[in-house]
Amino acid sequence: MAASVSLGVGSLVWVEDTELAWLDGEVVEVNGDTIKVACTTGKTVVVKASGVYPKDAEAPPCGVDDMTKLAYLHEPGVLQNLKSRYDMNEIYTYTGSILIAVNPFTRLPHLYDNHMMAQYKGAAFGELSPHPFAVADAAYRLMLNEKISQSILVSGESGAGKTESTKLLMRYLAYMGGRSAAEGSSQRTVEQQVLESNPVLEAFGNAKTVRNNNSSRFGKFVEIQFDQRGRISGAAIRTYLLERSRVCQVSDPERNYHCFYMLCAAPAEDVQKFKLGNARTFHYLNQSNCYELEGVDESKEYIATRKAMDIVGISSDEQEGIFRVVAAILHLGNIEFKKGKETDSSEPKDEKSRFHLKTAAELFMCDEKALEDSLCKRIIVTRDETITKCLDPESAAVSRDALAKIVYSRLFDWLVDKINSSIGQDPDSKCLIGVLDIYGFESFKTNRLLTDFEQFCINLTNEKLQQHFNQHVFKMEQEEYTKEEIDWSYIDFVDNKDVLELIEKKPGGIIALLDEACMFPRSTHETFAQKLYQTFKSHKRFSKPKLSRTDFTICHYAGDVTYQTDLFLDKNKDYVVAEHQALLSASKCSFVAGLFPLLSEDSSKQSKFSSIGARFKQQLQALLETLSVTEPHYIRCVKPNNLLKPAIFENKNVLQQLRCGGVMEAIRISCAGYPTKKPFDEFVDRFGILAPEVLDGSSDEVAACKRLLEKVGLKGYQIGKTKVFLRAGQMAELDARRSEVLGRSASIIQRKVRSYLSRRSFISLRLSAIQLQAACRGQLVRKIYESMRREAAALRIQKDLRMFLARKAYKELCSSALCIQRGMRGLAARNELRFRRQTRAAIILQSQCRKYLARLHYMRLKKAAITTQCAWRGKVARKELRKLKMAAKETGALQAAKNKLEKQVEELTWRLQLEKRMRADVEEAKTQENAKLQSALQEMQLEFKETKELLMKERGAAKRAAEQIPVIQEVSVIDHAMVDKLSAENEKLKSLVSSLEKRIDETQKKYEETNKLSEERLKQALEADQKIVQLKTAMHRLEEKFSDVESENQILRQQGLLKTPVKRIADILSTPEKTPVLENGHHLNEENGANEPMSAMPIKEVETDSERKMKKSQQYDDIDALIKCVSKDIGFSQGKPVAAFTIYKCLLQWKSFEAERTSVFDRLIQMIGSAIENQDNNDHMAYWLSNTSTLLFLLQKSLTGTGAAGAPPRRKPPPTSLFGRMTMGFRSSPSSAQLAAPHLEVVRQVEAKYPALLFKQQLTAYVEKIYGIVRDNLKKELAPLLSLCIQAPRTSKGTALRSGRSFGKDSPSSHWQSIIECLNTLLCTLKENFVPPVLVEKIFTQTFSYINVQLFNSLLLRRECCTFSNGEYVKSGLAELELWCAQAKEEYAGSSWDELKHIRQAVGFLVIHQKYRISYDEITNDLCPILSVQQLYRICTLYWDSNYNTRSVSPDVISSMRVLMTEDSNNAVSSSFLLDENSSIPFSVDDLSNSLQEKDFTDVKPADELLENSAFQFLQE
């Protein structure tokens, strides 16, 4: 799209250049069709106006992330945008949905870590910076949501980074669809095998070329299959066109396949086993002087490849067979031949060749003589006999190479099949994502780097993919036009179908003619070339070079390519020599024999000829069929330079790759329609100056754009729903008109400035002349005055001298007297002043002291009075309330109220009459006032008419003046046919909408019914869970009862054997019981009862069975009562949770901490777990956080572990019977309780047993869990607000136009206020529930850390956020957060404000005006000391300012940052610029214990509900 409008002097344009592709410059002269351009490089060129492209003067210097946003979508604009972003290490750029990846030739690990994958997970396409993860995520989301298979096509020339991009895509898909191996660690997941298949295939399919150190010499299509939940369930790998000739023929400075060099550098035992040595000793490797790669250790790569084979599923025996075959191929290459004894025969050249022949036979596990015969002889089978033909040395070498190539090809195919079978495919999978890593279009001056036929197949592939790509791009254009509801029916589609027919048409195509030539034994490449010349001599895409007889040229979409036909016939033949097939199929090695299975009789009788071209065409057709049923996504990889070094961007090289990659073809398709697409607000902002009047009024942006375009007179544009679509050249025309308007405005400004300067100079000159005249006149007058003054002065001197002599004597006398008087008076005055100051200071002190004492007395009196009044009023009010309640019960009170109401009605009636009379008086006053106002109104109308007449006169004068200026008349065009057509379509759409609304209503009803059903089922499930909990509790109680019954039965059986009561009692006392059960189901250790002295237990304490059962039942009732009480919200006492205190007191009284077995702890844990099921209610969670943390504090202070084994045994507690301890607690006399009460402590040290310690651990886990729930709930509330707070609301120049609908609902700070409200709400909730301050502080500290991470990462990932205005917006929000921290006080906020250090420093840098004057040391030491070099570089390169045009830092600072980043590039940690979120638990039990005090619990009152129960009277102690 060249410039189609007239260019004026000063216009910025792009000019084509032979060296740099395109140069930017300024038009300095216009001569008809030719213009003179002064380039920025200093060169001046003269070109035709049709050969230049307009340049966008307002394009951001750092480029745009999506090139569809460019004002001018053409070659130089695209190239400059890529170069600008590459200079800033922004290697990824969008072109719509197409991702262009420029190889940086350096490691950028921070772009591909797990944290970066988490950022792109679920993000909308285009929301974050361009990245392969965004493409993979978009494909994954489309597959899940639309249930449509996806494909990602990665293409580019060798060295462009296709393989690395494919690895990144597969890593992300494995990250999204991966699952942990639930079956066990030995079970390898599908995603692991898919990822580890890459190094295996790279080892055997990649090699160093001139353009790339790790070039894939085959095409690869990876199908990753997914199940219904989006998890990877299977995969398959398909390969295309392995470069077999590289096995035998390598040109300098390239290398053979990596596996050969890895095997030569293998461990010593493997090298000896395969009889290998240095790579320089093998013919297939020493054809090139390149043996090693920089930064690659072949021995480590060998070990890594073996490990990858293990993960993929290749057994050790199979690995042995694989490398046995690779070693055999190397030995084959070292076999040389010489002439034999017979004519045209051959044999191994020397002993060295014999050794390699023998070694190859050993590795293949075949007969040495048979191997030699298969290389040196051919067997020709005729109808009558079998003829053995000897081969000359050259033919034998060709046979050797053919064997090596076919063996390696079969080995590679076996690897692919093995990987596919090991990974497995999911037959039930409905969706897949295919990743295509395919070679890009390549054209060489001499076809030495690739064999001609293989390059021909590669270019055929790219032609087919380009056709698919064109159709996709055209489809996207159609979808956008349809979405925007514009007319696109007249847009032509560029197709390359004629080239594809030229190559693959059957019959008559190049491939068909090549297959035909290969089937005839006497055909040569000359006859094949002549056949092509005759067949396609009139084809516009086919031509014959002038200086060659066998070459031909095809005009591809990316340019003309000349092919040499010398090896076309040999490379197209794909068959296995019968002797080679028979030899290797009979191998004793099962692996080698498996590579060459025996052919069936039918296949052996058929023709042995098969065509690589035909087979490749079938594979390509199958690939296209797969792609046609998937939704494609494209990644175009670009190599910036041929030196393979970073920071070098070769314009011509990149431009050629863009053309070969189809990017320019996509641009041409876009230019055929509407290449410029501008949102309404941007369009009005940019071109509103062409017609300022369209911005006046209350119309919206759409109407403003229509009026503006009609005003300027453009034709052929389209107005969509959200954008303005302009044809090619119209953007340049609008910019030219805009430049004219700006030029005229500049001329007016210059005229005004020059006028002002001239007037100021004239006024200054006039003032100077006046001042000179005044000075001259003054000088003359001063001279006359001087003479007159001298005469007067003489007389005055005489008079004054006489006077002086007389006064001198008088003054001397007077001065002496005055000096004495002055000294005396000064002394007296100073004494008086000193006294007054002291007096005044004393008075002030006395007044302030009296004032303070009086105010203090008054405040105390006032406070006491208010307290007394409040108490008295409360008492009076309560008394009155009681009276009213009593009176309400009596009928007499009702009658009195009725009489009172009747009196009130009469009083209101009297007031109503009085008000009516007052209204009548007011109406009369209003009538008089209205008469006065009407007279004043008439006077105002007369003045308005006079003003209107003056205004009409002025408008008439303005119209006469305007008629003298030429005006461009507007021509309205109304297409009635189109209007009728649109009306009809509108009616159809209305009917369609009505039918859709009916369907929506029906669907809504079904949805509501389903929703009700699901709610009922959910309710039933919750009820079932509650029943399960109740049943578990009942089961525990039954188990305990059962154990007690067993112990009682044992005692009864023993009692039945005794006769006398005394013996019975003695036997009961001496019989070893089961573990005695204490109160509330606790079981005492057997040792306690066994070691007690018998005499310590009186006989009267032996209890009957009925008493024991009654007390047992009472214990369970007590536990149930406790659980029922504390499961409710029983509030707080003295700022402490009542439930925690009550639980602790009960456990302490029941001595549960000392029990060996008990169920009360399990009951409490179940109760807490069921209580916190509703995790969304922060109030409820805060209540339980307060209770559990307080209970944990009490346990921490009370419980002590069991003493060491060597410590002296402590005195045992007095023995009791089955429920002795409970009896002692209940039967203690009141007097003893009163005596012991003063000595009781709130928190007592108890030696805890295992159940108590386990309960403490479980309670600690619940405290941490509830803390995490409260913290995460706050994060969930803040997450959507933070995404809105990072970017300021958009404003534009036409603010008045959109003031009513831009963001009137929400002020810019409303999102920050919402965050403050969330923080305040949670803080109030935590305070109301008396959560320990240390937990509150940790919650808000981690929340502010989360805010810092989210805001800072969004700032670094979204370029639109790194602006000056956005920095001011975020800074104002951070100021509100700082104010909140100050108001919340340090007790609760803690170091929350310090957690925002990253975003504070980043925002502080954004709002600096003169960034270009700041040095790197000032940035790192003063402004942003906490930020890393990578983070600073990211901010500096992303920064832009469209409002104030402030610049970023200087290029020297950017260069310094690059140097430091290069030095740290090997450190993956330092290279990461994103922050990680900390979700750990930041406190310990000791921190919680240190924050609370035991004395705080002395005045806590237990639950009132339990105090009413006689069993819990101990709570009052």
Side-chain angles (χ1 to χ4, degrees), residues 101-103 105 157-161 210-212 637-644 648 650 653-654 657:
V102 184
N103 195 339
F105 292 117
E157 73 170 43
S158 179
V210 176
R211 300 186 174 187
N212 186 8
C637 299
V638 176
K639 183 170 63 174
N641 60 79
N642 290 324
L643 303 176
L644 310 184
I648 300 176
E650 298 175 355
N653 186 20
V654 172
Q657 292 178 68

Side-chain angles (χ1 to χ4, degrees), residues 117 137 530 702 767 1149 1231 1373 1424:
M117 287 194 283
D137 187 78
Q530 294 301 322
V702 181
L767 288 175
Q1149 175 68 21
S1231 60
C1424 307

Side-chain angles (χ1 to χ4, degrees), residues 606-753:
Q606 293 176 357
S607 174
K608 296 182 180 180
F609 172 75
S610 63
S611 167
I612 287 182
R615 185 160 60 90
F616 179 71
K617 190 172 71 171
Q618 293 174 358
Q619 292 179 343
L620 190 59
Q621 186 61 34
L623 173 64
L624 266 296
E625 290 176 359
T626 302
L627 296 179
S628 63
V629 297
T630 62
E631 184 68 23
H633 306 265
Y634 292 92
I635 298 179
R636 294 295 192 240
C637 299
V638 176
K639 183 170 63 174
N641 60 79
N642 290 324
L643 303 176
L644 310 184
K645 293 183 178 180
I648 300 176
F649 192 89
E650 298 175 355
N651 288 356
K652 296 198 71 175
N653 186 20
V654 172
L655 188 59
Q656 176 63 22
Q657 292 178 68
L658 292 177
R659 291 169 179 166
C660 294
V663 177
M664 294 306 170
E665 193 71 20
I667 292 175
R668 278 194 287 272
I669 292 175
S670 180
C671 290
Y674 299 94
T676 303
K677 311 171 184 70
K678 284 285 183 183
F680 295 133
D681 56 345
E682 294 182 11
F683 187 80
V684 172
D685 287 345
R686 181 162 182 158
F687 299 111
I689 60 175
L690 297 180
E693 62 273 10
V694 303
L695 299 179
D696 300 333
S698 59
S699 59
D700 58 0
E701 293 168 342
V702 181
C705 291
K706 290 181 179 179
R707 291 170 57 193
L708 195 152
L709 289 167
E710 292 172 358
K711 190 76 175 177
V712 298
L714 280 186
K715 303 296 181 183
Y717 63 86
Q718 293 280 354
I719 300 293
K721 297 176 70 176
T722 61
K723 299 176 184 177
V724 176
F725 292 80
L726 300 178
R727 300 286 291 182
Q730 290 184 340
M731 187 71 179
E733 182 177 351
L734 288 174
D735 271 342
R737 297 192 183 187
R738 182 170 175 269
S739 299
E740 292 177 4
V741 173
L742 292 175
R744 287 197 299 268
S745 302
S747 300
I748 294 172
I749 293 172
Q750 291 172 358
R751 184 172 72 241
K752 295 294 184 182
V753 171

Side-chain angles (χ1 to χ4, degrees), residues 61 87-88 1405 1408-1419 1423 1432-1433 1435-1439 1446-1459:
D87 290 340
M88 298 187 306
F1405 175 77
I1408 296 175
H1409 284 278
Q1410 297 180 342
K1411 298 180 182 64
Y1412 58 91
R1413 295 185 178 180
I1414 305 174
S1415 65
Y1416 176 74
D1417 292 336
E1418 291 175 340
I1419 295 176
L1423 296 176
L1432 288 172
Y1433 180 80
I1435 294 173
C1436 293
T1437 53
L1438 289 180
Y1439 178 80
T1446 58
R1447 292 183 289 170
S1448 185
V1449 296
S1450 63
D1452 295 336
V1453 175
I1454 296 291
S1455 301
S1456 302
M1457 292 181 183
R1458 278 187 187 167
V1459 172

Side-chain angles (χ1 to χ4, degrees), residues 365-432:
M365 289 190 179
C366 62
D367 183 63
E368 179 183 353
K369 181 62 177 176
L371 177 60
E372 180 182 352
D373 292 341
S374 68
L375 296 178
C376 300
K377 297 179 182 179
R378 284 289 177 270
I379 298 176
I380 302 174
V381 180
T382 62
R383 183 176 300 178
D384 299 330
E385 58 181 343
T386 301
I387 302 174
T388 301
K389 177 185 177 183
C390 296
L391 301 178
D392 57 15
E394 294 181 359
S395 300
V398 172
S399 176
R400 174 201 64 193
D401 293 344
L403 176 59
K405 289 189 288 187
I406 192 63
V407 169
Y408 194 83
S409 176
R410 292 287 181 91
L411 174 62
F412 187 79
D413 293 341
W414 181 91
L415 277 172
V416 175
D417 294 339
K418 180 63 179 179
I419 291 172
N420 287 337
S421 62
S422 177
I423 295 175
Q425 300 186 30
D426 183 8
D428 299 327
S429 175
K430 302 299 182 182
C431 298
L432 61 86

